[in-house]
Amino acid sequence: MYRNIKPHYFSIDAIMAAQEKIQCSFIKNVEHVDFLDMTNAEKDEESDPKIELPLWMIKVFIAGKSIQFDIPKAYNEIYRGVLTADANVVDLFKLCKHFYLFGKFLSQLEHREAYEVRRTLIQTFIDRFKQTMDWAQNIDDNLPCFNRLDCLERSIFNDARVAQQHLNTYLTEGSGQMEIAAMISNYRKRKMHESRVLE
Amino acid sequence: MYCDKVIELLKELERSREDTIPPYNNDGINQVLSEMKTLDAEIIEFLRKQKDNLPLDAIRLRRAAIERNKRCLMTYIWTRLQRLKEMRWEIGAILPSDVRQNLSQSEIEWFNNYCKTLVSYMKTIGSDTGLNLTQDTKPPKSLYTEVRSLVDAGKLELESGEVLILRKNSQYMLSRSQAEPLIRQGILEQVRQ
């Protein structure tokens, strides 16, 4: 199936990326929103109250100019430094599940560091791409590596693996071989597993 | 917080394997719909109560939440339909019963309509008998092919009218067009050259 990597209206990844939380603080008072009501919470006099909201809500408040947000940990100056130094050693999935997509949405908001974030995203992708391809094509047991990839890289990785397998089959067995549909063979394996579990 | 329920729905879908369809979560969807109705009622309430000095941020947030709920619900349905559509091409017009159980009434209806549309389209193209698009997904090399039966499948009526009885582990020479659907279903296996 043709896979669309670009975020679109129906893309689950894009929706999930916009659900990532950002720490922010309000400049103006916002009334009539229950879960933002801080009057009952203990007041900390020294620091201004901070709250974590998902990205799509932040977007709403930015349009009303009533919020200020901090760049999340994965994109701040320290991590940008780490990524620039060597992007290959970072566990992106742990850092942020939708690292590239969330970063892209983030850099579209108005923030003074937006430009740097964007640049880091592109450079990180370029630096890591070679390693991703290398893993996909050459290592058989690649679960430990796979766990460190972000969602976008994972889909590239999976596509690369399938393509490599197709190429291998072609080189060893030639073309024109008819095979059981992948969906059915997976379905059977699942059934077999279920019946074994039942026993 | 707003939209938490619909995200749960999507997570459920995301967690499942891409070639399966999880059970249709009717409860979850109804909960989201009622959340949307509440939000809408709240907005109308604001507009009615205060003519000037509207709490703009609160209204905007609720509106965004409604829009987002809508988008997520549509994504839920769309993703399921994409998987269902792929099943039509991979498995064929008859779905396994446990897949069918997981579908909603309207999804079953959609699937039947999709099958009908596909069949009537395939009738209109090609020469007078139509063209089966699900056949020859890989370029064929010969008209006939040697196959081995993997199960005791029973009778198979050939295009010529002859009846063949498929026994486990015996080999046959079949026309490619007849063998291909059976190979895809896992009943036959092509003998490697």
Side-chain angles (χ1 to χ4, degrees), chain A residues 146-178:
Chain A
F146 183 73
N147 286 340
R148 295 152 52 104
L149 301 175
D150 116 300
C151 287
L152 176 79
E153 287 173 337
R154 283 178 184 214
S155 64
I156 293 175
F157 181 89
N158 282 333
D159 286 353
R161 284 218 66 179
V162 173
Q164 185 64 34
Q165 274 160 8
H166 279 260
L167 181 67
N168 287 347
T169 330
Y170 172 71
L171 290 176
T172 52
E173 290 165 17
S175 64
Q177 194 77 20
M178 289 184 286

mmCIF file of all heavy atoms in Angstrom, chain A residues 146-178:
data_model
loop_
_atom_site.group_PDB
_atom_site.id
_atom_site.type_symbol
_atom_site.label_atom_id
_atom_site.label_comp_id
_atom_site.label_asym_id
_atom_site.label_seq_id
_atom_site.Cartn_x
_atom_site.Cartn_y
_atom_site.Cartn_z
ATOM 1 N N PHE A 146 15.744 -0.482 16.587
ATOM 2 C CA PHE A 146 14.415 -0.001 16.194
ATOM 3 C C PHE A 146 13.778 0.821 17.312
ATOM 4 O O PHE A 146 13.128 1.827 17.064
ATOM 5 C CB PHE A 146 13.544 -1.220 15.866
ATOM 6 C CG PHE A 146 12.175 -0.882 15.388
ATOM 7 C CD1 PHE A 146 11.983 -0.364 14.130
ATOM 8 C CD2 PHE A 146 11.079 -1.080 16.197
ATOM 9 C CE1 PHE A 146 10.723 -0.062 13.676
ATOM 10 C CE2 PHE A 146 9.807 -0.769 15.750
ATOM 11 C CZ PHE A 146 9.637 -0.258 14.488
ATOM 12 N N ASN A 147 13.997 0.395 18.557
ATOM 13 C CA ASN A 147 13.381 1.088 19.680
ATOM 14 C C ASN A 147 13.852 2.524 19.846
ATOM 15 O O ASN A 147 13.222 3.297 20.546
ATOM 16 C CB ASN A 147 13.659 0.319 20.979
ATOM 17 C CG ASN A 147 12.819 -0.917 21.051
ATOM 18 O OD1 ASN A 147 11.811 -1.014 20.370
ATOM 19 N ND2 ASN A 147 13.237 -1.875 21.854
ATOM 20 N N ARG A 148 14.961 2.850 19.230
ATOM 21 C CA ARG A 148 15.483 4.200 19.411
ATOM 22 C C ARG A 148 15.015 5.166 18.332
ATOM 23 O O ARG A 148 15.373 6.331 18.337
ATOM 24 C CB ARG A 148 17.005 4.169 19.418
ATOM 25 C CG ARG A 148 17.586 3.411 20.594
ATOM 26 C CD ARG A 148 18.928 2.837 20.221
ATOM 27 N NE ARG A 148 19.774 3.872 19.682
ATOM 28 C CZ ARG A 148 20.758 4.438 20.366
ATOM 29 N NH1 ARG A 148 21.012 4.061 21.571
ATOM 30 N NH2 ARG A 148 21.501 5.371 19.815
ATOM 31 N N LEU A 149 14.235 4.685 17.387
ATOM 32 C CA LEU A 149 13.820 5.549 16.286
ATOM 33 C C LEU A 149 12.512 6.250 16.616
ATOM 34 O O LEU A 149 11.692 5.716 17.351
ATOM 35 C CB LEU A 149 13.628 4.712 15.025
ATOM 36 C CG LEU A 149 14.849 3.950 14.556
ATOM 37 C CD1 LEU A 149 14.487 3.081 13.374
ATOM 38 C CD2 LEU A 149 15.951 4.899 14.178
ATOM 39 N N ASP A 150 12.327 7.414 16.046
ATOM 40 C CA ASP A 150 11.051 8.112 16.248
ATOM 41 C C ASP A 150 10.038 7.587 15.232
ATOM 42 O O ASP A 150 10.376 6.771 14.381
ATOM 43 C CB ASP A 150 11.280 9.636 16.154
ATOM 44 C CG ASP A 150 10.567 10.250 15.002
ATOM 45 O OD1 ASP A 150 10.874 9.825 13.874
ATOM 46 O OD2 ASP A 150 9.729 11.125 15.202
ATOM 47 N N CYS A 151 8.782 7.993 15.336
ATOM 48 C CA CYS A 151 7.727 7.362 14.535
ATOM 49 C C CYS A 151 7.945 7.482 13.030
ATOM 50 O O CYS A 151 7.687 6.546 12.285
ATOM 51 C CB CYS A 151 6.381 7.951 14.903
ATOM 52 S SG CYS A 151 5.843 7.384 16.494
ATOM 53 N N LEU A 152 8.411 8.646 12.593
ATOM 54 C CA LEU A 152 8.655 8.847 11.168
ATOM 55 C C LEU A 152 9.760 7.916 10.691
ATOM 56 O O LEU A 152 9.630 7.240 9.673
ATOM 57 C CB LEU A 152 9.060 10.307 10.921
ATOM 58 C CG LEU A 152 9.441 10.644 9.498
ATOM 59 C CD1 LEU A 152 8.195 10.827 8.675
ATOM 60 C CD2 LEU A 152 10.286 11.892 9.448
ATOM 61 N N GLU A 153 10.817 7.828 11.486
ATOM 62 C CA GLU A 153 11.930 6.955 11.114
ATOM 63 C C GLU A 153 11.508 5.495 11.114
ATOM 64 O O GLU A 153 11.972 4.707 10.302
ATOM 65 C CB GLU A 153 13.092 7.161 12.084
ATOM 66 C CG GLU A 153 13.820 8.465 11.879
ATOM 67 C CD GLU A 153 14.861 8.730 12.949
ATOM 68 O OE1 GLU A 153 14.733 8.174 14.053
ATOM 69 O OE2 GLU A 153 15.781 9.505 12.695
ATOM 70 N N ARG A 154 10.600 5.166 12.030
ATOM 71 C CA ARG A 154 10.132 3.784 12.085
ATOM 72 C C ARG A 154 9.435 3.372 10.807
ATOM 73 O O ARG A 154 9.625 2.263 10.313
ATOM 74 C CB ARG A 154 9.183 3.587 13.252
ATOM 75 C CG ARG A 154 9.917 3.502 14.543
ATOM 76 C CD ARG A 154 9.009 3.360 15.725
ATOM 77 N NE ARG A 154 9.863 3.379 16.905
ATOM 78 C CZ ARG A 154 9.630 2.693 18.006
ATOM 79 N NH1 ARG A 154 8.553 1.969 18.110
ATOM 80 N NH2 ARG A 154 10.469 2.749 19.009
ATOM 81 N N SER A 155 8.620 4.278 10.271
ATOM 82 C CA SER A 155 7.907 3.885 9.057
ATOM 83 C C SER A 155 8.884 3.784 7.884
ATOM 84 O O SER A 155 8.743 2.902 7.036
ATOM 85 C CB SER A 155 6.756 4.847 8.755
ATOM 86 O OG SER A 155 7.252 6.106 8.481
ATOM 87 N N ILE A 156 9.884 4.670 7.852
ATOM 88 C CA ILE A 156 10.904 4.565 6.807
ATOM 89 C C ILE A 156 11.659 3.250 6.962
ATOM 90 O O ILE A 156 11.908 2.526 5.991
ATOM 91 C CB ILE A 156 11.885 5.752 6.894
ATOM 92 C CG1 ILE A 156 11.171 7.040 6.538
ATOM 93 C CG2 ILE A 156 13.072 5.543 5.977
ATOM 94 C CD1 ILE A 156 12.017 8.260 6.718
ATOM 95 N N PHE A 157 11.994 2.935 8.201
ATOM 96 C CA PHE A 157 12.740 1.715 8.508
ATOM 97 C C PHE A 157 11.972 0.480 8.029
ATOM 98 O O PHE A 157 12.532 -0.395 7.367
ATOM 99 C CB PHE A 157 12.952 1.671 10.025
ATOM 100 C CG PHE A 157 13.726 0.494 10.508
ATOM 101 C CD1 PHE A 157 15.102 0.549 10.602
ATOM 102 C CD2 PHE A 157 13.078 -0.660 10.900
ATOM 103 C CE1 PHE A 157 15.815 -0.531 11.071
ATOM 104 C CE2 PHE A 157 13.791 -1.751 11.363
ATOM 105 C CZ PHE A 157 15.161 -1.687 11.445
ATOM 106 N N ASN A 158 10.667 0.440 8.352
ATOM 107 C CA ASN A 158 9.874 -0.719 7.955
ATOM 108 C C ASN A 158 9.800 -0.854 6.440
ATOM 109 O O ASN A 158 9.937 -1.955 5.903
ATOM 110 C CB ASN A 158 8.462 -0.612 8.523
ATOM 111 C CG ASN A 158 8.431 -0.991 9.979
ATOM 112 O OD1 ASN A 158 9.266 -1.777 10.422
ATOM 113 N ND2 ASN A 158 7.505 -0.426 10.728
ATOM 114 N N ASP A 159 9.582 0.277 5.764
ATOM 115 C CA ASP A 159 9.528 0.235 4.299
ATOM 116 C C ASP A 159 10.844 -0.265 3.733
ATOM 117 O O ASP A 159 10.874 -1.069 2.798
ATOM 118 C CB ASP A 159 9.209 1.627 3.738
ATOM 119 C CG ASP A 159 7.761 1.989 3.963
ATOM 120 O OD1 ASP A 159 7.006 1.112 4.417
ATOM 121 O OD2 ASP A 159 7.380 3.137 3.694
ATOM 122 N N ALA A 160 11.930 0.201 4.313
ATOM 123 C CA ALA A 160 13.252 -0.189 3.819
ATOM 124 C C ALA A 160 13.469 -1.684 4.003
ATOM 125 O O ALA A 160 14.007 -2.356 3.133
ATOM 126 C CB ALA A 160 14.335 0.591 4.550
ATOM 127 N N ARG A 161 13.018 -2.210 5.122
ATOM 128 C CA ARG A 161 13.171 -3.645 5.376
ATOM 129 C C ARG A 161 12.406 -4.471 4.350
ATOM 130 O O ARG A 161 12.913 -5.448 3.806
ATOM 131 C CB ARG A 161 12.635 -3.993 6.763
ATOM 132 C CG ARG A 161 13.539 -3.586 7.848
ATOM 133 C CD ARG A 161 13.529 -4.611 8.930
ATOM 134 N NE ARG A 161 14.097 -5.867 8.475
ATOM 135 C CZ ARG A 161 14.226 -6.917 9.248
ATOM 136 N NH1 ARG A 161 13.808 -6.877 10.479
ATOM 137 N NH2 ARG A 161 14.744 -8.033 8.788
ATOM 138 N N VAL A 162 11.151 -4.061 4.127
ATOM 139 C CA VAL A 162 10.329 -4.798 3.169
ATOM 140 C C VAL A 162 10.974 -4.764 1.794
ATOM 141 O O VAL A 162 11.085 -5.794 1.110
ATOM 142 C CB VAL A 162 8.906 -4.201 3.128
ATOM 143 C CG1 VAL A 162 8.103 -4.838 2.021
ATOM 144 C CG2 VAL A 162 8.215 -4.415 4.456
ATOM 145 N N ALA A 163 11.456 -3.581 1.399
ATOM 146 C CA ALA A 163 12.083 -3.456 0.083
ATOM 147 C C ALA A 163 13.305 -4.350 -0.008
ATOM 148 O O ALA A 163 13.538 -5.013 -1.028
ATOM 149 C CB ALA A 163 12.472 -2.003 -0.171
ATOM 150 N N GLN A 164 14.085 -4.398 1.067
ATOM 151 C CA GLN A 164 15.289 -5.221 1.071
ATOM 152 C C GLN A 164 14.931 -6.702 0.949
ATOM 153 O O GLN A 164 15.555 -7.445 0.203
ATOM 154 C CB GLN A 164 16.073 -4.964 2.361
ATOM 155 C CG GLN A 164 17.399 -5.673 2.440
ATOM 156 C CD GLN A 164 18.369 -5.189 1.376
ATOM 157 O OE1 GLN A 164 18.358 -4.018 1.016
ATOM 158 N NE2 GLN A 164 19.182 -6.087 0.853
ATOM 159 N N GLN A 165 13.863 -7.099 1.650
ATOM 160 C CA GLN A 165 13.430 -8.492 1.572
ATOM 161 C C GLN A 165 12.979 -8.845 0.155
ATOM 162 O O GLN A 165 13.305 -9.909 -0.359
ATOM 163 C CB GLN A 165 12.289 -8.754 2.547
ATOM 164 C CG GLN A 165 12.787 -9.111 3.937
ATOM 165 C CD GLN A 165 11.735 -8.913 4.996
ATOM 166 O OE1 GLN A 165 10.571 -8.650 4.672
ATOM 167 N NE2 GLN A 165 12.128 -9.012 6.243
ATOM 168 N N HIS A 166 12.232 -7.888 -0.460
ATOM 169 C CA HIS A 166 11.792 -8.124 -1.838
ATOM 170 C C HIS A 166 12.982 -8.315 -2.756
ATOM 171 O O HIS A 166 12.996 -9.208 -3.602
ATOM 172 C CB HIS A 166 10.966 -6.931 -2.330
ATOM 173 C CG HIS A 166 9.547 -6.964 -1.858
ATOM 174 N ND1 HIS A 166 8.519 -7.386 -2.635
ATOM 175 C CD2 HIS A 166 8.991 -6.632 -0.693
ATOM 176 C CE1 HIS A 166 7.384 -7.324 -1.965
ATOM 177 N NE2 HIS A 166 7.656 -6.862 -0.770
ATOM 178 N N LEU A 167 13.973 -7.462 -2.568
ATOM 179 C CA LEU A 167 15.164 -7.551 -3.416
ATOM 180 C C LEU A 167 15.860 -8.885 -3.203
ATOM 181 O O LEU A 167 16.244 -9.560 -4.170
ATOM 182 C CB LEU A 167 16.117 -6.392 -3.103
ATOM 183 C CG LEU A 167 17.390 -6.378 -3.943
ATOM 184 C CD1 LEU A 167 17.049 -6.094 -5.392
ATOM 185 C CD2 LEU A 167 18.376 -5.360 -3.421
ATOM 186 N N ASN A 168 15.993 -9.311 -1.956
ATOM 187 C CA ASN A 168 16.648 -10.580 -1.670
ATOM 188 C C ASN A 168 15.909 -11.744 -2.315
ATOM 189 O O ASN A 168 16.520 -12.629 -2.903
ATOM 190 C CB ASN A 168 16.733 -10.801 -0.157
ATOM 191 C CG ASN A 168 17.760 -9.900 0.475
ATOM 192 O OD1 ASN A 168 18.564 -9.282 -0.219
ATOM 193 N ND2 ASN A 168 17.720 -9.803 1.792
ATOM 194 N N THR A 169 14.573 -11.732 -2.197
ATOM 195 C CA THR A 169 13.786 -12.799 -2.806
ATOM 196 C C THR A 169 14.000 -12.809 -4.309
ATOM 197 O O THR A 169 14.150 -13.878 -4.911
ATOM 198 C CB THR A 169 12.282 -12.575 -2.542
ATOM 199 O OG1 THR A 169 12.145 -11.899 -1.325
ATOM 200 C CG2 THR A 169 11.530 -13.879 -2.520
ATOM 201 N N TYR A 170 14.022 -11.634 -4.907
ATOM 202 C CA TYR A 170 14.199 -11.556 -6.353
ATOM 203 C C TYR A 170 15.556 -12.114 -6.762
ATOM 204 O O TYR A 170 15.670 -12.863 -7.724
ATOM 205 C CB TYR A 170 14.053 -10.109 -6.810
ATOM 206 C CG TYR A 170 14.405 -9.914 -8.257
ATOM 207 C CD1 TYR A 170 13.571 -10.403 -9.253
ATOM 208 C CD2 TYR A 170 15.584 -9.279 -8.620
ATOM 209 C CE1 TYR A 170 13.900 -10.256 -10.581
ATOM 210 C CE2 TYR A 170 15.923 -9.126 -9.942
ATOM 211 C CZ TYR A 170 15.085 -9.618 -10.929
ATOM 212 O OH TYR A 170 15.418 -9.485 -12.219
ATOM 213 N N LEU A 171 16.576 -11.773 -5.993
ATOM 214 C CA LEU A 171 17.920 -12.210 -6.356
ATOM 215 C C LEU A 171 18.092 -13.715 -6.172
ATOM 216 O O LEU A 171 18.777 -14.366 -6.956
ATOM 217 C CB LEU A 171 18.964 -11.476 -5.507
ATOM 218 C CG LEU A 171 19.120 -9.994 -5.841
ATOM 219 C CD1 LEU A 171 20.100 -9.338 -4.891
ATOM 220 C CD2 LEU A 171 19.563 -9.802 -7.285
ATOM 221 N N THR A 172 17.452 -14.281 -5.165
ATOM 222 C CA THR A 172 17.652 -15.709 -4.939
ATOM 223 C C THR A 172 16.669 -16.564 -5.714
ATOM 224 O O THR A 172 17.018 -17.644 -6.181
ATOM 225 C CB THR A 172 17.530 -16.051 -3.441
ATOM 226 O OG1 THR A 172 16.301 -15.504 -2.956
ATOM 227 C CG2 THR A 172 18.687 -15.491 -2.642
ATOM 228 N N GLU A 173 15.422 -16.097 -5.855
ATOM 229 C CA GLU A 173 14.405 -16.964 -6.444
ATOM 230 C C GLU A 173 13.847 -16.472 -7.767
ATOM 231 O O GLU A 173 13.037 -17.156 -8.375
ATOM 232 C CB GLU A 173 13.244 -17.149 -5.447
ATOM 233 C CG GLU A 173 13.652 -17.975 -4.260
ATOM 234 C CD GLU A 173 12.663 -17.847 -3.124
ATOM 235 O OE1 GLU A 173 11.531 -17.395 -3.388
ATOM 236 O OE2 GLU A 173 13.025 -18.187 -1.996
ATOM 237 N N GLY A 174 14.232 -15.284 -8.159
ATOM 238 C CA GLY A 174 13.701 -14.753 -9.399
ATOM 239 C C GLY A 174 12.291 -14.239 -9.208
ATOM 240 O O GLY A 174 11.748 -14.272 -8.103
ATOM 241 N N SER A 175 11.683 -13.759 -10.275
ATOM 242 C CA SER A 175 10.364 -13.148 -10.145
ATOM 243 C C SER A 175 9.281 -14.144 -10.544
ATOM 244 O O SER A 175 9.566 -15.254 -10.987
ATOM 245 C CB SER A 175 10.283 -11.911 -11.030
ATOM 246 O OG SER A 175 10.399 -12.328 -12.368
ATOM 247 N N GLY A 176 8.045 -13.735 -10.385
ATOM 248 C CA GLY A 176 6.932 -14.526 -10.910
ATOM 249 C C GLY A 176 6.411 -15.578 -9.968
ATOM 250 O O GLY A 176 5.491 -16.308 -10.284
ATOM 251 N N GLN A 177 7.006 -15.679 -8.776
ATOM 252 C CA GLN A 177 6.518 -16.669 -7.820
ATOM 253 C C GLN A 177 5.242 -16.128 -7.157
ATOM 254 O O GLN A 177 5.205 -14.997 -6.678
ATOM 255 C CB GLN A 177 7.592 -16.902 -6.763
ATOM 256 C CG GLN A 177 7.369 -18.109 -5.921
ATOM 257 C CD GLN A 177 7.746 -19.397 -6.664
ATOM 258 O OE1 GLN A 177 8.491 -19.359 -7.620
ATOM 259 N NE2 GLN A 177 7.201 -20.515 -6.229
ATOM 260 N N MET A 178 4.195 -16.958 -7.166
ATOM 261 C CA MET A 178 2.953 -16.521 -6.526
ATOM 262 C C MET A 178 2.967 -16.984 -5.083
ATOM 263 O O MET A 178 3.357 -18.113 -4.795
ATOM 264 C CB MET A 178 1.752 -17.108 -7.253
ATOM 265 C CG MET A 178 1.545 -16.489 -8.608
ATOM 266 S SD MET A 178 0.074 -17.087 -9.394
ATOM 267 C CE MET A 178 0.580 -18.725 -9.877
#
